[in-house]
Amino acid sequence: MTTQPKHFLTFADLTCDEIGYLFSRARLLKERVHMGQYANTLKGRTLAMIFEKASTRTRVSFEIGIMQLGGNAVVLSGNDTQISRGEPVPDTARVISSMADAVMIRTFQQQMVETFAAHSRVPVINGLTDEHHPCQVLTDLYTFFEHRGNIAGKSVAWVGDANNMLYSWIQAASVMGFNVRYAAPDGYRVDLSRLSENEKDCLQWCADPADAVRGAAIVTTDVWVSMGQEAENEKRFRAFEGFQVNAELMRHAAADAVFMHCLPAHRGEEVTADVIDGAQSLVWEEAENRLHAQKALIEFLLLGRIKTD
Ligand code: CP
Ligand code: NVA
């Protein structure tokens, strides 16, 4: 009997208890690397990565991450694979998963990673689709845990486009028991038909960004134009005017609120330089933590929980 691999395709693939384990494991792996100690838990294992969109953080953190655990990475960019010439995704999944031990995919449609996973013998990780970015939100919540502790019962404010990041935040809110209040202009709001009843209960829309931010523990935003939406540049710039995180807006958040952004950021558009480069910003910690949170994730998908001394 073959057991089905465990995938991470959306944030809802993890339970709150599993996330608690991942946070403690990520913290340990991070502390050890900072002391120059590298784990060897994935010695000899290979992570295959398929990139159909650009990346800096995801590429570097997964590639260095697997190496820090004793394994190797194979990186395929969109045009390097036969997928770009029409080879069916199920065929590609069967072949790559017969050789690699895990697969990370960054692509356009969520359906592609779901189809790949359905035909894969090994764990598949979503490294960003048009619909979700679960590795980033897992890391952001780990970063909050490091700096502020438990997120349960708190409020996260999202200002701007209802994009892949926001949908992963909403799923995380449902799994981990916090609220998301978001401000977005008409035409760029969350499609409620994509949410479960529980996810809808965790979400509140506010017309005014100040109402979304009021009392929030985390204030977060993302680019107004995501990868693949470049043709909508001008229209989006007009629509999102007034949906910028700036120092005046941050004043409405909790006194110890942190600012988060998955990066890359556009200073002067969705966030001002004084906020992203200011004292409340955790953006560089979030970026570094991609490495440690994802190491814990890959280990978990391949080996289950690691007993630590
Ligand atoms: N935040 C993030 O996923 O960055 P990259 O696009 O550089 O991978
Ligand atoms: N929403 C952005 C995130 C980039 C990491 C995009 O999809 O381009």
Side-chain angles (χ1 to χ4, degrees):
M1 194 185 80
T2 47
T3 50
Q4 291 299 310
K6 188 164 173 58
H7 305 296
F8 187 49
L9 306 181
T10 73
F11 200 96
D13 288 334
L14 291 174
T15 65
C16 193
D17 184 61
E18 288 170 336
I19 291 161
Y21 161 76
L22 291 176
F23 286 1
S24 54
R25 182 68 185 158
R27 172 130 72 181
L28 188 76
L29 289 167
K30 181 174 180 178
E31 282 167 4
R32 290 197 176 159
V33 163
H34 285 184
M35 291 188 294
Q37 297 169 6
Y38 294 88
N40 223 6
T41 43
L42 296 183
K43 186 172 169 29
R45 311 271 185 134
T46 302
L47 173 70
M49 298 196 275
I50 300 172
F51 284 97
E52 297 191 313
K53 287 177 176 171
S55 170
T56 298
R57 281 144 287 268
T58 304
R59 159 92 196 251
V60 175
S61 58
F62 270 105
E63 189 162 351
I64 294 181
I66 188 86
M67 289 193 285
Q68 288 187 353
L69 296 173
N72 300 290
V74 170
V75 183
L76 299 155
S77 72
N79 292 336
D80 290 345
T81 70
Q82 296 284 8
I83 298 176
S84 66
R85 299 179 59 249
E87 183 168 16
V89 171
D91 292 2
T92 308
R94 287 185 189 101
V95 171
I96 294 181
S97 73
S98 72
M99 302 180 199
D101 297 287
V103 183
M104 190 240 70
I105 303 172
R106 167 167 288 198
T107 189
F108 292 87
Q109 293 178 346
Q110 179 72 14
Q111 190 54 52
M112 188 274 195
V113 296
E114 304 276 348
T115 303
F116 195 109
H119 296 86
S120 172
R121 290 191 207 173
V122 301
V124 176
I125 298 169
N126 180 350
L128 181 147
T129 60
D130 291 345
E131 288 94 336
H132 296 279
H133 197 3
C135 291
Q136 182 69 54
V137 172
L138 179 68
T139 303
D140 293 353
L141 287 165
Y142 169 67
T143 307
F144 185 81
F145 165 75
E146 265 189 341
H147 289 262
R148 295 285 185 273
N150 197 346
I151 186 81
K154 298 203 155 67
S155 249
V156 173
W158 176 275
V159 179
D161 189 23
N163 65 13
N164 41 13
M165 281 293 299
L166 178 55
Y167 282 92
S168 288
W169 273 110
I170 296 165
Q171 285 197 334
S174 165
V175 173
M176 299 185 70
F178 61 90
N179 304 303
V180 175
R181 283 206 306 265
Y182 83 104
D186 282 334
Y188 298 91
R189 283 167 61 175
V190 168
D191 174 1
L192 295 176
S193 73
R194 284 181 51 192
L195 306 188
S196 69
E197 290 308 312
N198 198 25
E199 287 162 4
K200 281 184 215 167
D201 288 345
C202 299
L203 183 70
Q204 190 191 332
W205 174 74
C206 305
D208 182 349
D211 291 332
V213 167
R214 192 154 292 119
I218 301 176
V219 179
T220 185
T221 184
D222 190 11
V223 289
W224 292 340
V225 182
S226 284
M227 290 182 277
Q229 298 172 332
E230 291 76 8
E232 299 171 31
N233 246 333
E234 276 182 37
K235 195 173 108 195
R236 283 175 166 270
F237 272 59
R238 280 196 300 276
F240 287 106
E241 206 181 316
F243 290 84
Q244 180 190 64
V245 179
N246 51 39
E248 165 55 26
L249 192 64
M250 286 299 289
R251 274 195 266 283
H252 298 278
D256 64 346
V258 295
F259 172 75
M260 290 192 168
H261 192 308
C262 63
L263 303 177
H266 293 194
R267 288 170 177 78
E269 295 175 17
E270 75 275 8
V271 61
T272 52
D274 56 348
V275 170
I276 195 167
D277 299 318
Q280 288 172 287
S281 174
L282 289 181
V283 297
W284 312 122
E285 288 82 353
E286 289 172 78
E288 181 197 336
N289 283 340
R290 291 291 298 277
L291 181 62
H292 309 296
Q294 290 164 187
K295 282 189 294 191
L297 175 71
I298 305 172
E299 261 187 352
F300 177 66
L301 296 178
L302 282 170
L303 307 174
R305 296 181 194 220
I306 310 280
K307 286 202 175 55
T308 39
D309 31 30

